[in-house]
Amino acid sequence: MATQEFTAAEERAMQLALGEARRGMRGANPLVGAAVLDADGAVLASGYHRGAGFPHAEIEALANLPEGLDRTTLADCTMVVTLEPCNHQGRTGPCAVAVAEAGIGRLVHASDDQTSAAGGADYLRSRGVDVRSGLCRDAALDLNQRWFKAKSARRPFTTMHIAQTLDGLIAAADGSSQWITSEAARQDSHGIRARVDAIIAGTGTVLADNPRLTARTGNGEPAASQPLRVVMGTRDVPADAAVRGSDGKFLQLHTHDPAEVLDLLAGRGVAHAMIEGGATVAAAFLKVDLVDELVLYLAPLLLGAGTRSTAPLGIGTLADAAHWRWDSSGGGHTTNLGADLRLHLEPAPAGSTPAVRKGL
Amino acid sequence: MATQEFTAAEERAMQLALGEARRGMRGANPLVGAAVLDADGAVLASGYHRGAGFPHAEIEALANLPEGLDRTTLADCTMVVTLEPCNHQGRTGPCAVAVAEAGIGRLVHASDDQTSAAGGADYLRSRGVDVRSGLCRDAALDLNQRWFKAKSARRPFTTMHIAQTLDGLIAAADGSSQWITSEAARQDSHGIRARVDAIIAGTGTVLADNPRLTARTGNGEPAASQPLRVVMGTRDVPADAAVRGSDGKFLQLHTHDPAEVLDLLAGRGVAHAMIEGGATVAAAFLKVDLVDELVLYLAPLLLGAGTRSTAPLGIGTLADAAHWRWDSSGGGHTTNLGADLRLHLEPAPAGSTPAVRKGL
């Protein structure tokens, strides 16, 4: 598609929309940003999708239009959006319908929707909107590379969390691990628990630590939204294990295969799963490239000896190391949390070894 | 000393001076900041000591006074400085003399100089300057806690550098380690080499990697300033080992005792030493609390198995973990360097377990 299809103002607005998209939280839904330009190319409003359960970016951008704007002028306006507007019935109705009903005259989207929610572009065309796609497509695909990968494999998006010392340990030599990270870091990880549909731990962790695996608020109360508590592994989970709870949201999967776990969870409608650990489960998911996002809490401690954050990954030489990249979405790739540092990463796309390392 | 000795403007200026001090680089000299206030308490200038080889903070602050200032008005001005002005002959002469000759009427310093450079306050008083001390003393002592500790033990200040993966490994299972970090991170560590008086590695590292241990610039040329290359350990260093070089700046110390190494180096005039590694040497210094500063380059890689960044430290349980704290001096505690993250820490003072962790 020829570049001249798009104006310079639309290109600038799409960069703005990509930046807006990165403000959102990864998970069940892709990161999406949108902006509305007037006939002169000035940005009237922008918006982004905060994450599952929040309005889509197009709805946010429309909601952010200036009060008192003459809505009839929207026929001369363009919306740019990083992903094709959805055409499915969510809690706010399809975005394509909302955009058409707002009277937007032209819509430019970066990447196409290849999920069951596709068809938004065709719908908009049928309503007389001038729809164009492909502006900044590569950047938009890159932004949600892992989400697209998970979606095309029809599996949940996965977030792994690790709380470790500077030297990569999650427990001391005697097994003590409570608490390596500060209250603020633990509260942040409870926030992830409250956002996901399921949390996955191994039988080893359940037997060693007897965790509840519930999402709790700052004062220790259960959060409003609770994930399905999934224990993977073949060892028995004791009848009085805390993880069983009494709310029916407990499931043991008698397998060590991460792909099988995710397949079974997808069948139960899980769109976002958190991998809690321990080291064996973490390594199992990492080895087969089934971790889409890594939240690493780094406590300013040194232990020297203890339990490593992951079991061996079958990597023998540096050239085969798993490459990750810093992920600035959802608030930045590095955040101070109490005494700890929160690092946010995602797997680097295959073959994309960073230039700075490659150039050596 | 009663607080009313100091004006509110002086207190504000001392906070400014403390912030200025943190812009400097740790090493042979303490971090020091200074500011000059006029008779109304307005800040006329501030300055900080960049590090060994650069002018002292007082000299910087005086140099930063507004051009065209009527110097006779300095008699009504106050200089605040985070450390008592030195009284020894450095490359710019004693700061106490410079302050007196500038005609400054009053000087407020936070902490006292207890080194051989002391006597600045007395000298200034003898020149008729109104000298007061103790404003923000605790903060000033805390700022240079490790430097004071090293100085009172009459040993070099030490900087440890570690280049590791996210999971705390410095080499893969087959020993490959070149290069875990990016060119930018390696260049940064060569900058440290060029700043220190000596660089310390173990015989194990020398035998395994045959490193040169020289400071090199971005294009591979030797830096203008080269550290003494110190190998500690009892194994023979081969006659053709790169570390021997041909400049006479090579020294083997036949000991495994870090305190003995630092004592011998102090005797040779080494004021700042870099601990290069490997894991055994790193652990030896960490175990006896002889690391004053840690620069940790974190590459976004996972290896799963390989060589850990430090050998065991004799810590068996989490309660005995070594506590560090983020050090924002010299450019911030977290910096992006190419694909890597540079983390800067210093040991937390004894008994100062951060409140956020303590409060659990």
Side-chain angles (χ1 to χ4, degrees), chain A residues 117-131:
Chain A
D122 286 343
Y123 172 82
L124 285 164
R125 283 193 189 96
S126 78
R127 294 282 301 265
V129 179
D130 175 24
V131 179

Side-chain angles (χ1 to χ4, degrees), chain B residues 43-68:
Chain B
V43 174
L44 294 177
S46 65
Y48 69 100
H49 176 52
R50 288 167 199 276
F54 289 93
H56 286 187
E58 300 91 325
I59 310 300
E60 288 280 358
L62 291 172
N64 291 337
L65 283 169
E67 279 183 52

Side-chain angles (χ1 to χ4, degrees), chain B residues 255-307:
Chain B
T255 175
H256 296 112
D257 179 0
E260 193 182 343
V261 168
L262 294 184
D263 193 45
L264 289 163
L265 293 182
R268 285 173 167 256
V270 169
H272 186 192
M274 177 179 183
I275 302 160
E276 173 74 16
T280 308
V281 165
F285 279 84
L286 288 167
K287 272 168 107 161
V288 292
D289 191 22
L290 284 176
V291 178
D292 298 313
E293 178 183 40
L294 174 62
V295 178
L296 184 70
Y297 303 101
L298 202 60
L301 302 176
L302 288 176
L303 276 171
T307 309

